[in-house]
Amino acid sequence: MTNHWKVPPAVGPEDPGILEAARLIRAGGLVAFPTETVYGLGADARSTAAVEGIFEAKGRPSDNPLIVHIAQREQVDELTEGADELSRRLMDAFWPGPLTLVLPVKPGAVSPRVTAGLATVGVRMPDHPAALALIAAAGCPVAAPSANRSGRPSPTTAEHVLADLAGRIAGVVDAGPTGVGVESTVVEVAGGDVHVLRPGGVTAAQLRTVVPRVSAPHEDAADGGSPAAAAEEPDHAPKAPGMKYTHYAPQGRLTLVDGDPERTAAWIREELRRAKAAGERTGVLAFDEHLALYDADVVLSCGSRERPEEAARRLYAALRTFDEEGATFLLAEAPDSQGLGSAVLNRLIKAAGHRLVQV
Ligand code: TXA
Ligand code: MG
């Protein structure tokens, strides 16, 4: 019932699987596809019936707007009232890539269900051959949230998509695991400032190489960012509407641990010992540097602490694994909030329900 099209990583718009998937999108169907960040669940952004299908398949709150994916820069003019100078500079620098720009929507260009009634639309050009081929072949703007059931971690493989949505969608284009692993950065330009509404695949430091003023709460050391500050992030910062929802929470109780590496390791070892004695099924998400120190039922690596992009790539699969393994007590070493570490930290803090221990 749900098609599974395996395509080569560098697939083009003539691929038979892509052509079939594009035909289904044009017919109002729902097709999941890989992007460089996570798998998206795509539908024709102009069709209210198709877009309603996305909300239904995911169980997504209807006041959370969808990002519209494009394959060509000219589509910005079809979707929006035009992009300001700073937004255009960002497109030049980061498209195709993991950056979503919130722009004034052109009335009638997309279904009002896409924008959830806002006067703006989030637009992004993904940096993945399969995504670009599918959007080009479909010949329409493609609305696509992450292809998970609402409340589950975003999918970074076609298997994750099928675990959540098999039988509920027309198919999934499978080009293997995604590269970045966390979602795009969502930004809006206002009053000459670039506001980061959601941290993601493009870091604040990267944005600052292109535009002068970037406001990104607790992103990068340049902001004095720290895990503790991020966990206590005040709510006055502008946010993407989706940021207010309860996010994925693992079945086990997750706590983030931050501090001096040796004290962190000692604290985690002691907590694991206590939890085991209390009959918990324990899980740890740790950097390679500490992996061998922990005696838990499930020990998962997020790569070297020196390479936060590895943690980004592995995060969502790890969270799914803890649930599959039935872990009831979870600890994770907090990443440094530098580079992609900031987006990883943002997602982990949500998954932990803001439980962060400073040791
Ligand atoms: O990397 C990504 O962005 C992935 C892939 C599939 O492209 N998509 C994704 O979509 O993460 P989703 O729906 O899971 O998250 C979209 C975020 C939400 O937080 C939503 O509130 C925000 O973007 N957003 C969308 N349109 C917006 C708008 N007009 N104004 C402000 N925020 C918006
Ligand atoms: Mg999502």
Side-chain angles (χ1 to χ4, degrees):
M1 199 177 153
T2 293
N3 290 287
H4 187 166
W5 302 284
K6 293 209 170 154
V7 301
V11 67
E14 304 303 324
D15 177 275
I18 293 288
L19 287 172
E20 170 74 354
R23 192 186 61 73
L24 285 165
I25 286 189
R26 270 200 311 278
L30 307 180
V31 169
F33 61 95
T35 76
E36 78 282 34
T37 59
V38 301
Y39 274 71
L41 179 59
D44 182 345
R46 304 164 307 182
S47 161
T48 293
V51 171
E52 278 173 350
I54 291 180
F55 286 94
E56 198 179 307
K58 280 185 61 99
R60 179 181 175 107
S62 61
D63 62 341
N64 191 4
L66 305 178
I67 294 170
V68 177
H69 296 66
I70 60 174
Q72 279 170 342
R73 185 70 178 263
E74 301 81 79
Q75 290 177 279
V76 172
D77 301 321
E78 293 160 26
L79 295 170
T80 73
E81 299 276 44
D84 56 279
E85 149 76 16
L86 287 180
S87 293
R88 275 187 280 125
R89 254 199 263 167
L90 292 171
M91 292 173 199
D92 289 340
F94 298 109
W95 278 6
L99 182 71
T100 296
L101 287 149
V102 171
L103 297 165
V105 67
K106 184 178 276 188
V110 295
S111 162
R113 299 300 309 271
V114 169
T115 55
L118 298 174
T120 54
V121 60
V123 184
R124 112 171 176 91
M125 189 191 294
D127 187 16
H128 194 297
L132 294 170
L134 178 65
I135 299 162
C140 62
V142 174
S146 50
N148 51 286
R149 290 297 294 262
S150 243
R152 297 269 296 148
S154 294
T156 53
T157 66
E159 287 70 30
H160 296 163
V161 174
L162 290 168
D164 281 12
L165 297 172
R168 308 177 71 91
I169 63 175
V172 57
V173 175
D174 181 354
T178 59
V180 177
V182 293
E183 299 87 342
S184 64
T185 303
V186 180
V187 302
E188 180 164 32
V189 175
D193 278 4
V194 174
H195 297 283
V196 175
L197 308 184
R198 175 180 74 177
V202 173
T203 66
Q206 287 174 303
L207 294 172
R208 285 193 190 97
T209 63
V210 176
V211 292
R213 296 214 305 272
V214 177
S215 73
H218 304 300
E219 182 149 348
D220 297 341
D223 291 297
S226 72
E232 280 164 24
E233 180 172 306
D235 272 335
H236 58 68
K239 294 249 166 67
M243 301 287 279
K244 74 172 181 279
Y245 292 103
T246 341
H247 274 254
Y248 165 76
Q251 283 149 29
R253 183 183 162 88
L254 171 64
T255 304
L256 276 178
V257 190
D258 181 47
D260 158 82
E262 268 171 44
R263 280 207 305 274
T264 299
W267 193 90
I268 290 178
R269 285 165 62 93
E270 175 58 19
E271 284 298 299
L272 287 174
R273 201 188 52 70
R274 280 193 331 111
K276 269 204 166 163
E280 302 268 15
R281 185 162 166 77
T282 55
V284 177
L285 181 64
F287 291 99
D288 284 347
E289 289 81 348
H290 281 177
L291 216 53
L293 297 177
Y294 300 132
D295 178 23
D297 296 305
V298 189
V299 181
L300 299 178
S301 160
C302 48
S304 166
R305 181 173 280 282
E306 304 300 316
R307 290 190 295 119
E309 56 285 358
E310 193 61 35
R313 232 186 324 267
R314 296 185 190 202
L315 175 68
Y316 288 134
L319 293 174
R320 283 178 181 260
T321 301
F322 284 134
D323 281 353
E324 282 155 21
E325 296 281 339
T328 57
F329 179 92
L330 298 170
L331 296 172
E333 294 184 340
D336 303 319
S337 69
Q338 273 168 41
L340 267 190
S342 164
V344 174
L345 187 61
N346 171 276
R347 308 309 192 261
L348 271 172
I349 284 169
K350 286 174 192 295
H354 289 254
R355 264 184 306 279
L356 177 111
V357 174
Q358 201 74 45
V359 297

